Coordinates of all heavy atoms in Angstrom, one line a residue:
M251 N 29.5 1.1 -90.3 CA 30.8 1.2 -89.5 C 30.7 2.5 -88.6 O 30.3 3.6 -89.1 CB 32.0 1.2 -90.2 CG 33.2 0.9 -89.6 SD 34.6 0.7 -90.9 CE 35.9 1.1 -89.7
K252 N 31.2 2.4 -87.4 CA 31.2 3.5 -86.4 C 32.3 4.6 -86.7 O 33.3 4.0 -87.2 CB 31.4 3.1 -85.0 CG 30.1 2.4 -84.5 CD 30.5 1.9 -83.0 CE 29.3 1.1 -82.5 NZ 29.5 0.5 -81.2
S253 N 32.0 5.8 -86.4 CA 33.1 6.8 -86.6 C 34.2 6.6 -85.6 O 34.0 5.9 -84.6 CB 32.5 8.1 -86.7 OG 32.2 8.5 -85.3
V254 N 35.4 7.2 -85.9 CA 36.5 7.1 -85.0 C 36.0 7.7 -83.7 O 36.4 7.2 -82.5 CB 37.7 7.8 -85.6 CG1 38.8 7.9 -84.5 CG2 38.2 7.0 -86.8
R255 N 35.2 8.8 -83.9 CA 34.8 9.4 -82.6 C 34.0 8.6 -81.8 O 34.1 8.6 -80.5 CB 34.1 10.7 -83.0 CG 33.7 11.6 -81.8 CD 33.1 13.0 -82.3 NE 32.4 13.6 -81.2 CZ 31.1 13.3 -80.9 NH1 30.4 12.4 -81.6 NH2 30.5 14.0 -79.9
E256 N 33.1 7.9 -82.3 CA 32.2 7.0 -81.6 C 33.0 5.8 -80.9 O 32.7 5.4 -79.8 CB 31.1 6.4 -82.4 CG 30.0 7.2 -82.7 CD 28.9 6.6 -83.7 OE1 29.4 6.1 -84.8 OE2 27.8 6.7 -83.3
Q257 N 33.9 5.4 -81.8 CA 34.8 4.3 -81.2 C 35.5 4.7 -79.9 O 35.6 3.9 -78.9 CB 35.7 3.7 -82.2 CG 35.0 3.0 -83.4 CD 35.9 2.5 -84.4 OE1 37.1 3.0 -84.4 NE2 35.5 1.6 -85.2
V258 N 36.2 5.8 -80.0 CA 37.0 6.4 -79.0 C 36.0 6.6 -77.8 O 36.3 6.4 -76.6 CB 37.7 7.8 -79.3 CG1 38.2 8.4 -78.1 CG2 38.7 7.5 -80.4
L259 N 34.8 7.2 -78.1 CA 34.0 7.6 -77.0 C 33.5 6.3 -76.3 O 33.4 6.2 -75.0 CB 32.7 8.3 -77.6 CG 31.9 9.1 -76.6 CD1 32.7 10.1 -75.9 CD2 30.6 9.7 -77.4
N260 N 33.2 5.3 -77.0 CA 32.8 4.0 -76.4 C 33.9 3.4 -75.6 O 33.7 2.9 -74.5 CB 32.4 3.0 -77.6 CG 31.0 3.2 -78.1 OD1 30.3 4.0 -77.6 ND2 30.8 2.6 -79.3
Q261 N 35.1 3.4 -76.1 CA 36.2 2.8 -75.4 C 36.5 3.6 -74.1 O 36.7 3.0 -73.0 CB 37.5 3.1 -76.3 CG 38.7 2.3 -75.8 CD 38.5 0.8 -76.2 OE1 38.0 0.5 -77.3 NE2 38.9 -0.1 -75.4
V262 N 36.3 4.9 -74.1 CA 36.6 5.8 -73.0 C 35.6 5.5 -71.9 O 35.8 5.2 -70.7 CB 36.6 7.3 -73.2 CG1 36.6 8.1 -72.0 CG2 37.9 7.7 -74.1
T263 N 34.2 5.3 -72.3 CA 33.2 5.1 -71.5 C 33.3 3.8 -70.8 O 33.1 3.7 -69.6 CB 31.8 5.1 -72.3 OG1 31.7 6.3 -73.1 CG2 30.6 4.9 -71.4
I264 N 33.7 2.8 -71.6 CA 34.0 1.4 -71.2 C 35.0 1.5 -70.0 O 34.9 0.9 -68.8 CB 34.2 0.5 -72.2 CG1 33.0 0.2 -73.1 CG2 34.7 -0.9 -71.6 CD1 33.2 -0.6 -74.3
Q265 N 36.2 2.1 -70.3 CA 37.3 2.2 -69.3 C 36.9 2.8 -68.1 O 37.2 2.4 -67.0 CB 38.5 2.8 -70.0 CG 39.3 2.0 -71.0 CD 40.4 2.8 -71.6 OE1 40.6 4.0 -71.5 NE2 41.3 2.0 -72.3
V266 N 36.2 4.1 -68.3 CA 35.9 4.8 -67.1 C 34.9 4.0 -66.2 O 35.0 4.0 -64.9 CB 35.3 6.2 -67.4 CG1 34.6 6.9 -66.2 CG2 36.3 7.1 -68.1
W267 N 33.9 3.4 -66.9 CA 32.9 2.7 -66.2 C 33.6 1.4 -65.5 O 33.2 1.2 -64.3 CB 31.9 2.1 -67.2 CG 30.9 1.2 -66.5 CD1 30.8 -0.2 -66.8 CD2 30.0 1.4 -65.5 NE1 29.9 -0.8 -66.0 CE2 29.3 0.1 -65.2 CE3 29.6 2.5 -64.8 CZ2 28.4 0.1 -64.3 CZ3 28.5 2.4 -63.8 CH2 27.9 1.2 -63.6
D268 N 34.5 0.8 -66.1 CA 35.2 -0.2 -65.5 C 36.0 0.1 -64.2 O 35.9 -0.4 -63.2 CB 36.2 -1.0 -66.5 CG 35.6 -1.9 -67.4 OD1 34.3 -2.1 -67.3 OD2 36.2 -2.4 -68.3
Q269 N 36.6 1.3 -64.4 CA 37.4 1.8 -63.2 C 36.5 2.2 -62.1 O 36.8 1.8 -60.9 CB 38.2 3.1 -63.6 CG 39.5 2.8 -64.4 CD 40.2 4.0 -64.9 OE1 39.7 5.2 -64.7 NE2 41.3 3.9 -65.6
V270 N 35.5 3.0 -62.4 CA 34.5 3.4 -61.4 C 33.9 2.0 -60.7 O 33.7 2.0 -59.5 CB 33.4 4.2 -62.0 CG1 32.3 4.4 -61.0 CG2 33.9 5.5 -62.4
W271 N 33.4 1.2 -61.5 CA 32.9 -0.1 -61.0 C 33.8 -0.9 -60.1 O 33.4 -1.3 -59.0 CB 32.3 -1.0 -62.2 CG 31.8 -2.3 -61.8 CD1 32.3 -3.5 -62.2 CD2 30.6 -2.5 -61.0 NE1 31.6 -4.5 -61.6 CE2 30.6 -3.9 -60.8 CE3 29.8 -1.6 -60.3 CZ2 29.6 -4.5 -60.1 CZ3 28.8 -2.3 -59.5 CH2 28.7 -3.6 -59.4
D272 N 35.0 -1.0 -60.6 CA 36.0 -1.7 -59.7 C 36.2 -1.0 -58.4 O 36.1 -1.6 -57.3 CB 37.4 -1.7 -60.4 CG 37.4 -2.8 -61.5 OD1 36.4 -3.6 -61.5 OD2 38.4 -2.9 -62.3
Q273 N 36.3 0.2 -58.5 CA 36.5 1.1 -57.3 C 35.3 0.9 -56.3 O 35.4 0.7 -55.0 CB 36.7 2.6 -57.6 CG 37.8 3.2 -56.8 CD 38.0 4.6 -57.4 OE1 37.6 4.9 -58.4 NE2 38.8 5.4 -56.7
V274 N 34.2 1.2 -56.8 CA 32.9 1.0 -56.0 C 32.8 -0.4 -55.5 O 32.5 -0.6 -54.2 CB 31.6 1.4 -56.8 CG1 30.4 0.9 -56.1 CG2 31.6 2.8 -57.2
R275 N 33.0 -1.4 -56.3 CA 32.9 -2.7 -55.9 C 33.9 -3.0 -54.7 O 33.6 -3.7 -53.7 CB 33.2 -3.7 -57.1 CG 32.7 -5.1 -56.8 CD 33.0 -6.0 -58.1 NE 34.4 -5.9 -58.3 CZ 34.9 -6.2 -59.6 NH1 34.1 -6.4 -60.5 NH2 36.2 -6.2 -59.8
F276 N 35.1 -2.6 -54.8 CA 36.2 -2.9 -53.9 C 35.7 -2.2 -52.6 O 35.9 -2.7 -51.5 CB 37.5 -2.4 -54.4 CG 38.2 -3.4 -55.4 CD1 38.8 -2.8 -56.5 CD2 38.0 -4.7 -55.3 CE1 39.4 -3.6 -57.4 CE2 38.5 -5.6 -56.2 CZ 39.3 -5.1 -57.3
Q277 N 35.4 -0.8 -52.6 CA 35.0 -0.2 -51.5 C 33.9 -0.8 -50.7 O 33.9 -1.1 -49.5 CB 34.6 1.2 -51.8 CG 35.9 2.2 -52.1 CD 35.4 3.6 -52.5 OE1 34.2 3.9 -52.8 NE2 36.4 4.4 -52.6
V278 N 32.8 -1.0 -51.5 CA 31.6 -1.8 -50.9 C 32.2 -3.1 -50.3 O 31.6 -3.4 -49.1 CB 30.6 -1.9 -51.8 CG1 29.4 -2.8 -51.4 CG2 29.9 -0.5 -52.3
W279 N 32.8 -3.9 -51.1 CA 33.2 -5.2 -50.7 C 34.0 -5.0 -49.4 O 33.9 -5.8 -48.4 CB 34.0 -5.9 -51.7 CG 34.7 -7.1 -51.3 CD1 35.9 -7.4 -51.2 CD2 34.1 -8.3 -50.9 NE1 36.1 -8.6 -50.8 CE2 35.0 -9.3 -50.7 CE3 32.6 -8.8 -50.9 CZ2 34.7 -10.7 -50.1 CZ3 32.4 -10.0 -50.3 CH2 33.4 -10.9 -50.0
D280 N 35.0 -4.0 -49.3 CA 35.8 -3.9 -48.2 C 35.0 -3.5 -47.0 O 35.2 -4.2 -45.9 CB 36.9 -2.7 -48.4 CG 38.1 -3.2 -49.3 OD1 38.0 -4.5 -49.5 OD2 38.9 -2.5 -49.7
Q281 N 34.1 -2.7 -47.1 CA 33.3 -2.3 -46.0 C 32.5 -3.4 -45.5 O 32.4 -3.8 -44.2 CB 32.3 -1.2 -46.4 CG 33.0 0.2 -46.5 CD 32.1 1.3 -47.0 OE1 30.9 0.9 -47.4 NE2 32.5 2.5 -47.0
V282 N 31.8 -4.2 -46.3 CA 30.9 -5.3 -46.0 C 31.9 -6.4 -45.4 O 31.5 -6.9 -44.4 CB 30.1 -5.8 -47.2 CG1 29.6 -7.2 -46.9 CG2 29.1 -4.8 -47.7
W283 N 32.9 -6.6 -46.0 CA 33.8 -7.7 -45.5 C 34.3 -7.3 -44.1 O 34.4 -8.2 -43.3 CB 34.9 -7.9 -46.5 CG 36.0 -8.8 -46.0 CD1 37.3 -8.6 -45.8 CD2 35.8 -10.2 -45.7 NE1 38.0 -9.7 -45.3 CE2 37.1 -10.8 -45.3 CE3 34.6 -11.1 -45.8 CZ2 37.2 -12.2 -45.0 CZ3 34.8 -12.4 -45.4 CH2 36.0 -12.9 -44.9
N284 N 34.8 -6.1 -43.9 CA 35.2 -5.7 -42.6 C 34.2 -5.8 -41.6 O 34.4 -6.4 -40.5 CB 35.7 -4.2 -42.8 CG 37.0 -4.1 -43.5 OD1 37.8 -5.0 -43.6 ND2 37.4 -2.9 -43.8
Q285 N 32.9 -5.4 -41.9 CA 31.9 -5.4 -41.0 C 31.5 -6.9 -40.7 O 31.4 -7.3 -39.5 CB 30.5 -4.8 -41.6 CG 29.8 -4.0 -40.7 CD 28.7 -3.3 -41.3 OE1 28.7 -3.3 -42.6 NE2 27.9 -2.6 -40.7
V286 N 31.3 -7.7 -41.7 CA 31.2 -9.2 -41.5 C 32.2 -9.8 -40.6 O 32.0 -10.5 -39.7 CB 31.0 -9.9 -42.9 CG1 31.0 -11.5 -42.7 CG2 29.6 -9.5 -43.5
R287 N 33.5 -9.5 -41.1 CA 34.6 -10.2 -40.3 C 34.6 -9.8 -38.8 O 34.9 -10.6 -38.0 CB 35.9 -9.7 -41.0 CG 37.0 -10.5 -40.7 CD 38.3 -10.0 -41.4 NE 38.6 -8.6 -41.0 CZ 39.3 -7.7 -41.7 NH1 39.9 -8.2 -42.9 NH2 39.5 -6.6 -41.4
D288 N 34.4 -8.4 -38.7 CA 34.3 -8.0 -37.2 C 33.2 -8.6 -36.4 O 33.4 -9.1 -35.3 CB 34.1 -6.4 -37.2 CG 35.4 -5.7 -37.5 OD1 36.5 -6.4 -37.7 OD2 35.4 -4.5 -37.8
Q289 N 32.1 -8.8 -37.0 CA 30.9 -9.3 -36.3 C 31.2 -10.8 -36.1 O 31.1 -11.2 -34.9 CB 29.6 -9.2 -37.3 CG 29.0 -7.8 -37.2 CD 27.8 -7.8 -37.9 OE1 27.4 -8.6 -38.7 NE2 27.0 -6.7 -37.7
V290 N 31.6 -11.6 -37.1 CA 31.9 -12.9 -37.0 C 33.0 -13.1 -35.9 O 32.9 -14.0 -35.1 CB 32.2 -13.6 -38.3 CG1 32.8 -14.9 -38.1 CG2 31.1 -13.6 -39.3
R291 N 34.1 -12.3 -36.1 CA 35.1 -12.4 -35.1 C 34.6 -12.3 -33.7 O 35.1 -13.0 -32.8 CB 36.3 -11.5 -35.4 CG 37.5 -11.9 -34.8 CD 38.6 -10.8 -35.2 NE 38.2 -9.4 -35.1 CZ 38.6 -8.4 -35.9 NH1 39.5 -8.7 -36.8 NH2 38.1 -7.3 -35.7
D292 N 33.9 -11.2 -33.5 CA 33.4 -10.9 -32.2 C 32.6 -12.1 -31.6 O 32.8 -12.6 -30.5 CB 32.6 -9.6 -32.1 CG 33.5 -8.4 -32.3 OD1 34.8 -8.6 -32.2 OD2 32.9 -7.3 -32.4
Q293 N 31.7 -12.6 -32.5 CA 30.7 -13.7 -32.0 C 31.6 -14.8 -31.7 O 31.4 -15.5 -30.6 CB 29.7 -14.0 -33.1 CG 28.7 -12.9 -33.1 CD 27.7 -13.2 -34.3 OE1 27.9 -14.1 -35.1 NE2 26.6 -12.4 -34.4
V294 N 32.4 -15.2 -32.6 CA 33.3 -16.5 -32.5 C 34.1 -16.3 -31.3 O 34.2 -17.3 -30.4 CB 34.2 -16.8 -33.8 CG1 35.1 -17.8 -33.5 CG2 33.1 -17.2 -34.9
W295 N 34.8 -15.1 -31.3 CA 35.7 -14.9 -30.1 C 35.0 -14.9 -28.8 O 35.5 -15.7 -27.7 CB 36.4 -13.5 -30.3 CG 37.4 -13.1 -29.1 CD1 37.2 -12.1 -28.3 CD2 38.5 -13.8 -28.8 NE1 38.2 -12.0 -27.5 CE2 39.0 -13.1 -27.7 CE3 39.1 -15.0 -29.3 CZ2 40.2 -13.6 -27.1 CZ3 40.3 -15.6 -28.6 CH2 40.8 -14.6 -27.6
D296 N 33.7 -14.3 -28.6 CA 33.1 -14.4 -27.3 C 32.7 -15.8 -27.1 O 32.9 -16.3 -25.9 CB 31.7 -13.7 -27.5 CG 31.9 -12.2 -27.3 OD1 33.0 -11.8 -27.1 OD2 31.0 -11.4 -27.7
Q297 N 32.3 -16.6 -28.2 CA 31.9 -18.0 -27.8 C 33.2 -18.8 -27.4 O 33.2 -19.6 -26.5 CB 31.4 -18.6 -29.2 CG 30.1 -19.4 -28.9 CD 29.6 -19.9 -30.3 OE1 30.0 -19.4 -31.3 NE2 28.6 -20.9 -30.2
V298 N 34.3 -18.6 -28.2 CA 35.5 -19.4 -27.8 C 35.9 -19.1 -26.4 O 36.3 -19.9 -25.7 CB 36.6 -19.1 -28.9 CG1 37.9 -19.6 -28.4 CG2 36.3 -19.7 -30.1
R299 N 35.9 -17.6 -26.2 CA 36.4 -17.2 -24.9 C 35.6 -17.8 -23.7 O 36.2 -18.2 -22.7 CB 36.4 -15.7 -24.8 CG 37.3 -15.0 -23.9 CD 37.3 -13.5 -24.0 NE 35.9 -13.0 -24.1 CZ 35.6 -11.8 -24.6 NH1 36.5 -11.1 -25.1 NH2 34.4 -11.4 -24.6
R300 N 34.5 -17.8 -24.0 CA 33.4 -18.4 -22.9 C 33.7 -19.9 -22.7 O 33.8 -20.3 -21.6 CB 31.9 -18.1 -23.3 CG 31.4 -16.8 -22.9 CD 30.0 -16.8 -22.7 NE 29.3 -17.1 -24.0 CZ 29.0 -16.0 -24.8 NH1 29.3 -14.7 -24.5 NH2 28.4 -16.2 -26.0
Q301 N 33.7 -20.6 -23.9 CA 33.9 -22.0 -23.8 C 35.3 -22.4 -23.0 O 35.4 -23.1 -22.1 CB 33.8 -22.7 -25.1 CG 32.4 -22.7 -25.6 CD 32.4 -23.4 -27.0 OE1 33.4 -23.6 -27.7 NE2 31.2 -23.8 -27.4
V302 N 36.4 -21.8 -23.8 CA 37.6 -22.0 -23.2 C 37.8 -21.5 -21.8 O 38.4 -22.2 -21.0 CB 38.8 -21.3 -24.0 CG1 40.1 -21.4 -23.4 CG2 38.8 -22.0 -25.5
G303 N 37.2 -20.4 -21.6 CA 37.3 -19.7 -20.2 C 36.7 -20.7 -19.2 O 37.2 -20.9 -18.2
N304 N 35.5 -21.3 -19.5 CA 34.9 -22.2 -18.5 C 35.6 -23.4 -18.5 O 35.8 -23.9 -17.3 CB 33.4 -22.5 -19.2 CG 32.4 -21.3 -19.0 OD1 32.7 -20.4 -18.3 ND2 31.4 -21.4 -19.8
Q305 N 36.1 -24.0 -19.5 CA 36.8 -25.2 -19.3 C 38.1 -25.0 -18.6 O 38.5 -25.7 -17.7 CB 37.3 -25.7 -20.7 CG 36.2 -26.3 -21.6 CD 36.6 -26.7 -23.0 OE1 37.7 -26.3 -23.4 NE2 35.6 -27.3 -23.7
V306 N 38.8 -23.9 -19.0 CA 40.1 -23.6 -18.2 C 39.9 -23.3 -16.8 O 40.5 -23.8 -15.8 CB 40.9 -22.4 -18.8 CG1 42.1 -21.9 -18.0 CG2 41.4 -22.9 -20.4
W307 N 38.9 -22.5 -16.5 CA 38.4 -22.1 -15.2 C 38.1 -23.4 -14.4 O 38.5 -23.4 -13.2 CB 37.3 -21.1 -15.2 CG 36.9 -20.7 -14.0 CD1 35.7 -20.7 -13.3 CD2 37.7 -19.9 -13.0 NE1 35.6 -20.2 -12.1 CE2 36.9 -19.7 -11.8 CE3 39.1 -19.5 -12.9 CZ2 37.3 -18.9 -10.7 CZ3 39.6 -18.9 -11.8 CH2 38.7 -18.6 -10.7
D308 N 37.3 -24.3 -14.9 CA 36.9 -25.5 -14.2 C 38.2 -26.2 -13.9 O 38.3 -26.8 -12.7 CB 36.0 -26.4 -15.1 CG 34.6 -25.8 -15.1 OD1 34.3 -24.8 -14.3 OD2 33.8 -26.3 -15.9
Q309 N 39.1 -26.4 -14.9 CA 40.3 -27.2 -14.6 C 41.2 -26.6 -13.5 O 41.5 -27.2 -12.6 CB 41.2 -27.1 -15.9 CG 41.9 -28.4 -16.2 CD 42.4 -28.5 -17.6 OE1 42.2 -27.5 -18.3 NE2 43.1 -29.5 -17.9
V310 N 41.3 -25.2 -13.6 CA 42.2 -24.5 -12.6 C 41.5 -24.7 -11.3 O 42.1 -25.0 -10.3 CB 42.3 -23.0 -13.0 CG1 42.8 -22.2 -11.8 CG2 43.1 -22.8 -14.3
R311 N 40.2 -24.5 -11.2 CA 39.5 -24.6 -9.9 C 39.7 -25.9 -9.3 O 39.9 -26.1 -8.1 CB 38.0 -24.2 -10.2 CG 37.4 -23.6 -9.0 CD 36.0 -23.0 -9.3 NE 35.3 -23.9 -10.2 CZ 34.2 -23.5 -11.1 NH1 33.8 -22.3 -11.0 NH2 33.6 -24.4 -11.8
R312 N 39.6 -27.0 -10.2 CA 39.7 -28.2 -9.7 C 41.1 -28.6 -9.2 O 41.4 -29.2 -8.1 CB 39.4 -29.3 -10.9 CG 38.0 -29.7 -10.9 CD 37.7 -31.1 -11.6 NE 38.2 -30.9 -13.1 CZ 37.4 -30.6 -14.0 NH1 36.1 -30.1 -13.7 NH2 37.8 -30.4 -15.3
Q313 N 42.2 -28.1 -10.0 CA 43.5 -28.3 -9.6 C 43.8 -27.6 -8.3 O 44.5 -28.2 -7.4 CB 44.5 -27.8 -10.7 CG 44.6 -28.8 -12.0 CD 45.5 -28.2 -13.1 OE1 45.8 -27.0 -13.0 NE2 45.8 -29.0 -13.9
V314 N 43.5 -26.3 -8.2 CA 43.6 -25.6 -7.0 C 43.0 -26.2 -5.8 O 43.6 -26.4 -4.8 CB 43.3 -24.1 -7.2 CG1 43.2 -23.3 -5.9 CG2 44.1 -23.4 -8.3
G315 N 41.7 -26.6 -6.1 CA 41.0 -27.3 -5.0 C 41.7 -28.5 -4.6 O 41.9 -28.8 -3.4
D316 N 42.2 -29.4 -5.5 CA 43.0 -30.5 -5.2 C 44.2 -30.3 -4.4 O 44.5 -30.8 -3.3 CB 43.4 -31.4 -6.4 CG 42.0 -32.0 -7.2 OD1 41.0 -32.0 -6.4 OD2 42.3 -32.5 -8.3
Q317 N 45.0 -29.2 -4.8 CA 46.2 -28.8 -4.1 C 45.8 -28.3 -2.7 O 46.5 -28.7 -1.8 CB 46.9 -27.7 -5.0 CG 47.5 -28.2 -6.2 CD 48.1 -27.1 -7.0 OE1 48.0 -25.9 -6.7 NE2 48.8 -27.4 -8.2
V318 N 44.8 -27.5 -2.6 CA 44.4 -27.0 -1.3 C 44.1 -28.1 -0.4 O 44.4 -28.2 0.8 CB 43.3 -26.0 -1.4 CG1 42.7 -25.6 -0.1 CG2 43.8 -24.7 -2.2
R319 N 43.3 -29.1 -1.0 CA 42.8 -30.2 -0.2 C 44.1 -31.0 0.2 O 44.1 -31.6 1.4 CB 41.9 -31.1 -0.9 CG 40.5 -30.6 -0.8 CD 39.3 -31.6 -1.2 NE 39.6 -32.1 -2.5 CZ 39.0 -31.4 -3.5 NH1 38.2 -30.3 -3.3 NH2 39.1 -31.8 -4.8
N320 N 45.1 -31.3 -0.6 CA 46.3 -32.0 -0.4 C 47.1 -31.3 0.7 O 47.8 -32.1 1.4 CB 47.1 -32.2 -1.7 CG 46.4 -33.1 -2.6 OD1 45.6 -33.9 -2.2 ND2 46.8 -33.3 -3.9
I321 N 47.1 -30.1 0.7 CA 48.0 -29.2 1.8 C 47.4 -29.6 3.1 O 48.2 -29.7 4.0 CB 47.9 -27.7 1.4 CG1 48.6 -27.4 0.1 CG2 48.5 -26.9 2.6 CD1 48.6 -26.1 -0.3
K322 N 46.1 -29.6 3.3 CA 45.5 -29.9 4.6 C 46.0 -31.1 5.3 O 46.1 -32.1 4.6 CB 44.0 -29.8 4.5 CG 43.5 -28.4 4.2 CD 42.0 -28.5 4.0 CE 41.3 -27.1 3.6 NZ 40.1 -27.1 3.4

């Protein structure tokens, strides 16, 4: 059977390790997640902006073109 000192030491070690591990994991996870989120958001946003921009721009151009032709 372990001595009280060993038990306490084990307990403290486990608690400290858990805390440190949680902190490290959260920090690393936050950094990685932020980076991934930013990259994905930028890529997706660029893509969406281009697609939507092109579609909207085509539509606007057509509508304006039609209106201008109708005015003449």
Side-chain angles (χ1 to χ4, degrees):
M251 197 171 154
K252 291 180 180 175
S253 68
V254 171
R255 186 173 161 277
E256 277 182 315
Q257 287 178 349
V258 169
L259 201 62
N260 283 346
Q261 195 77 36
V262 169
T263 305
I264 290 169
Q265 283 180 347
V266 169
W267 172 248
D268 280 355
Q269 286 177 354
V270 169
W271 173 242
D272 280 352
Q273 221 169 353
V274 167
R275 199 180 56 204
F276 285 140
Q277 283 180 347
V278 169
W279 172 247
D280 280 356
Q281 286 176 354
V282 169
W283 174 242
N284 284 340
Q285 221 171 353
V286 167
R287 199 179 55 201
D288 288 347
Q289 284 180 347
V290 168
R291 192 177 52 209
D292 286 352
Q293 287 175 354
V294 169
W295 178 240
D296 282 352
Q297 221 172 354
V298 166
R299 204 173 47 199
R300 273 200 294 271
Q301 286 179 344
V302 169
N304 288 340
Q305 288 173 356
V306 169
W307 180 240
D308 284 351
Q309 218 171 357
V310 167
R311 214 168 37 201
R312 271 200 298 273
Q313 284 178 346
V314 169
D316 289 350
Q317 287 173 358
V318 169
R319 275 198 296 275
N320 290 341
I321 290 173
K322 290 179 184 175

